Amino acid sequence: MDKVGGRRLAEALRALRADLLTLAPQPLPPLRGPRPLRWLPHALIVLLAALLAATAEDTPALPFAIAHAAVLIVALRLPLPAWWLSTAFLACTATTAYSPAHSGEPWPWTVHAGVLFLVALRNRRRVAAETLLLGVPTAWGVWSAGGHTTLWLDITIPSFVIEVLPLFAAAVLTGTAVRARRVARERLAEQEAAVVRERERRTLLEERARIARELHDVVAHHMSVISVQADAAPYRVPDPPQELVASFAVIRQNALEALTELRRVLGVLRAETSPGAPGTEAPGTVAPQPTLADLDGLVANVRAAGLDVETEVTGEPGPLSPGVELSAFRIAQEALSNALRHAPGSRVRVEMAHTATALRLTVRNGPGRHAAAPSPGAGHGLLGMRERAAMLGGDLAAGPTPAGGYEVTAVLPLSAPATAVSAHTPAGTGEEGQ
């Protein structure tokens, strides 16, 4: 044998030793599903072992049969060591006075086939094939000790070939097929989980991009106006005092510094948002932010989607800040989207109450008329609504109604205190929407 052949043989022997000479536990996992059925496979294996041990016809051979059948129970946790034990039991049967090869008892072959099945169920196809091929010579020697032959088509064939070998092969093929199906199912579950995580990540990025646009359109606009007005104010007064000029210069400088910090915050929010991703604007496009004047159009769209929506406005509408209008619209939009997603066909009531100090918005839906489709990746809407209300120093309450529906109520102050954002940090993360 040349050096290349010798090296390949050595590598094959090392791989064989790594595959088969291991004591690593490979426990058979319980079934997924109802708790009473989770350990059904284990119970069936134990029952099979007991039945096979009971099939020993010779009383002196009964302890040997019980010990061999117990190997099946060992294979539930240690399939490869159990295979070695089963092979050793087969080899020992050829030297005993109660050899099943002479008596024709089926329990040794069935026990070994069961062990081969459990090995194939917990290991790769190569390992299963190795256990089958290496176990055949031992089983053949045991069978040959009994001198069994079968006449088929006028040809004398060892009955091992048409009785025992197919049993072993069927056990290995069945275990391999079941394992392949389980592995495919696990990979599919992993892919679905990865898709859900990616969808959640994209949802967060879309929300960050939308917040960035709103900060730019609302806050940056007002800061720019303050800067321009502070710069022009001294020129509107003849001979303004130097103290006044200095004060306006400080105001302008503070506004410019705030704009610089705001641009830095916007850069962080948009850092992970790639061009063309959902929820992002193309460069150079400017979309006006919605206000409560656009609420009727939103309601019309939801009605067209299948919800029965009615609106009610009470109180005397007064001037609202852009932040309050935008937050109220977004909260109503998210609440209606939740109703459309989780309670399709339901009746929805949108109530808006104007008071002297706050705007109270309530979106209440009844139970859906038919089952809602699954919505993987959802669950950040309620958290976003809470953050919007807290940003303005307001409150938001959400939860199921006694009638089986869901209600979202937001109270948005018309003039938020200066410490609203810091004092109303939303508690907790990961709250799910309706």
Side-chain angles (χ1 to χ4, degrees):
M1 182 180 295
D2 57 5
K3 293 183 179 180
V4 176
R7 185 167 59 252
R8 290 180 178 176
L9 179 60
E11 292 176 354
L13 292 176
R14 282 196 298 268
L16 188 64
R17 182 177 58 186
D19 289 342
L20 301 182
L21 296 180
T22 176
L23 296 176
Q26 297 174 306
L28 185 67
L31 289 177
R32 296 179 181 178
R35 185 177 297 274
L37 300 179
R38 297 191 66 188
W39 301 101
L40 180 61
H42 303 72
L44 292 177
I45 293 296
V46 174
L47 179 61
L48 177 62
L51 293 177
L52 290 175
T55 58
E57 297 180 358
D58 294 330
T59 302
L62 184 59
F64 194 87
I66 293 175
H68 194 185
V71 175
L72 270 176
I73 302 176
V74 176
L76 289 174
R77 181 170 178 82
L78 301 168
L80 286 173
W83 173 79
W84 283 107
L85 287 174
S86 181
T87 303
F89 271 108
L90 284 181
C92 290
T93 58
T95 61
T96 61
Y98 309 101
S99 172
H102 296 277
S103 63
E105 295 181 3
W107 56 265
W109 323 113
T110 309
V111 169
H112 195 71
V115 172
L116 287 173
F117 170 77
L118 293 175
V119 169
L121 198 62
R122 305 302 297 151
N123 292 272
R124 295 171 298 170
R125 286 178 292 181
R126 187 181 74 181
V127 176
E130 290 168 352
T131 57
L132 174 62
L133 296 177
L134 292 179
V136 165
T138 302
W140 169 261
V142 175
W143 189 268
S144 299
H148 292 279
T149 57
T150 297
L151 188 63
W152 183 69
L153 295 180
D154 296 328
I155 302 176
T156 300
I157 301 176
S159 55
F160 175 83
V161 177
I162 60 175
E163 293 181 23
V164 178
L165 188 58
L167 177 63
F168 289 175
V172 171
L173 291 176
T174 303
T176 302
V178 174
R179 181 180 184 273
R181 181 180 178 185
R182 187 187 69 249
V183 170
R185 187 168 58 246
E186 291 175 352
R187 290 179 179 174
L188 179 61
E190 292 175 358
Q191 292 176 357
E192 291 177 349
V195 170
V196 170
R197 290 194 298 269
E198 180 63 21
R199 186 179 290 113
E200 291 175 350
R201 176 179 173 275
R202 293 179 71 89
T203 300
L204 291 176
L205 292 181
E206 292 170 13
E207 184 66 17
R208 287 174 59 171
R210 186 165 64 180
I211 292 174
R213 292 196 305 272
E214 293 173 1
L215 282 173
H216 178 272
D217 293 343
V218 178
V219 181
H221 168 74
H222 288 292
M223 296 304 298
S224 299
V225 171
I226 291 173
S227 174
V228 173
Q229 290 180 343
D231 189 36
Y235 299 100
R236 298 189 178 188
V237 180
D239 299 324
Q242 290 301 318
E243 294 82 358
L244 183 62
V245 173
S247 297
F248 278 117
V250 170
I251 293 173
R252 181 177 183 276
Q253 183 63 29
N254 288 338
L256 292 176
E257 291 178 358
L259 278 174
T260 302
E261 293 297 326
L262 180 60
R263 292 190 186 99
R264 185 175 294 112
V265 172
L266 295 180
V268 172
L269 288 175
R270 287 172 168 166
E272 298 184 14
T273 306
S274 58
T280 61
E281 300 291 345
T285 61
V286 179
Q289 294 297 330
T291 65
L292 290 179
D294 302 309
L295 188 60
D296 291 339
L298 174 64
V299 170
N301 289 336
V302 175
R303 283 175 180 157
L307 288 182
D308 182 8
V309 186
E310 60 178 0
T311 60
E312 180 182 1
V313 180
T314 59
E316 186 66 25
L320 301 175
S321 67
V324 171
E325 289 221 19
L326 179 59
S327 295
F329 180 88
R330 292 301 190 198
I331 291 173
Q333 183 183 44
E334 183 64 30
L336 290 172
S337 297
N338 281 345
L340 187 63
R341 184 185 304 117
H342 300 287
S346 63
R347 299 189 64 180
V348 184
R349 182 176 179 83
V350 180
E351 300 176 357
M352 198 177 329
H354 296 269
T355 66
T357 58
L359 171 66
R360 182 183 181 89
L361 174 66
T362 300
V363 180
R364 183 187 308 108
N365 66 269
R369 295 182 181 177
H370 49 273
S375 180
H380 300 280
L382 181 57
L383 179 60
M385 289 190 287
R386 290 191 188 279
E387 289 177 344
R388 289 184 181 277
M391 182 178 62
L392 299 172
D395 294 307
L396 185 136
T401 62
Y406 204 82
E407 179 177 315
V408 176
T409 300
V411 179
L412 307 178
L414 300 186
S415 57
T419 58
V421 175
S422 61
H424 291 79
T425 303
T429 60
E431 292 186 73
E432 293 188 352
Q434 178 187 345

